[in-house]
Amino acid sequence: MEKQINERSRRKIFAGIVVSTKMAKTIVVEVETKTLHPRYRKLVIRHKKYHVHDPKSEAKLNDKVRIIETRPISKTKFYRLLKITERAK
């Protein structure tokens, strides 16, 4: 039981913006990460897109969402929708 709790607590959680909702039960979320460059100490902004499982198809374009790592759902989906933090205007 203890081992299972530790594995679940190590799941990655990201916040991002929905950039596509054209697939069935799937959204594409763009996550922005900021890191310092090791040599020049400048802030580098990187963007990555993740395919996210959205079983109820409740997220809309430009919504801010939180996603969590999960078991593989398909060839490209390894994340699921945790919650919608802010609706698009």
Side-chain angles (χ1 to χ4, degrees), residues 21-87:
T21 58
K22 296 186 178 186
M23 294 174 273
K25 296 185 181 181
T26 304
I27 57 175
V28 180
V29 176
E30 186 174 62
V31 175
E32 179 181 285
T33 56
K34 297 176 182 178
T35 58
L36 274 179
H37 190 279
R39 170 178 265 172
Y40 301 113
R41 301 311 230 191
K42 180 181 177 181
L43 198 62
V44 179
I45 299 173
R46 292 199 169 98
H47 299 273
K48 186 164 182 182
K49 292 179 183 175
Y50 295 98
H51 288 97
V52 179
H53 186 60
D54 182 12
K56 297 177 188 170
S57 298
E58 56 191 3
K60 304 295 180 207
L61 199 62
N62 294 326
D63 283 352
K64 290 184 181 177
V65 295
R66 290 178 61 87
I67 60 175
I68 188 167
E69 188 178 35
T70 186
R71 64 180 177 83
I73 297 168
S74 71
K75 181 181 175 183
T76 58
K77 286 198 285 188
F78 302 97
Y79 291 86
R80 64 182 162 84
L81 182 66
L82 189 61
K83 70 177 190 175
I84 300 169
T85 55
E86 187 179 320
R87 289 283 183 184

Side-chain angles (χ1 to χ4, degrees), residues 1-11:
M1 185 72 180
E2 186 68 32
K3 185 179 178 193
Q4 185 181 17
I5 294 170
N6 289 336
E7 287 176 8
R8 286 189 176 267
S9 63
R10 281 191 300 236
R11 291 181 175 183

